Amino acid sequence: RMGQEGSTTRDIGVQIGGIVRTRSGEPLADVAVRRSGAAAGAITTGDGRFVLRGVPQGQVTLTVPRDGRSEIVQLRVPGESYDIVLDG
């Protein structure tokens, strides 16, 4: 068994951040971004920015509810960008 000394980033997760925007590039404020299976998430700021903590490495599914439906976004952590582009 590994004690705390042997824990890795994979065990505790990492912090990721990005911008939620429309296809035309407009940032979206007050949009919820949540990792599937996680209780907590984030709300985008006025300039569309969000930060999620404790995200495990590997394939990650984010849920972004908007206009009565949920957008599903697949990301790889670590990755080059965590920006999210939505229709509308």
Side-chain angles (χ1 to χ4, degrees), residues 1-74:
R1 289 176 56 125
M2 294 173 79
Q4 270 193 306
E5 292 176 12
S7 66
T8 66
T9 303
R10 180 178 291 277
D11 296 332
I12 58 174
V14 296
Q15 176 176 301
I16 66 169
I19 300 173
V20 178
R21 64 181 94 225
T22 63
R23 290 204 185 281
S24 62
E26 178 184 341
L28 295 170
D30 300 319
V31 174
V33 178
R34 187 166 49 99
R35 182 172 52 89
S36 294
I43 302 292
T44 59
T45 60
D47 59 358
R49 294 183 185 280
F50 70 93
V51 173
L52 296 173
R53 292 174 179 79
V55 178
Q57 293 186 27
Q59 189 72 26
V60 175
T61 302
L62 301 182
T63 304
V64 184
R66 185 159 182 263
D67 297 332
R69 67 183 198 282
S70 288
E71 298 280 344
I72 305 298
V73 180
Q74 299 284 331

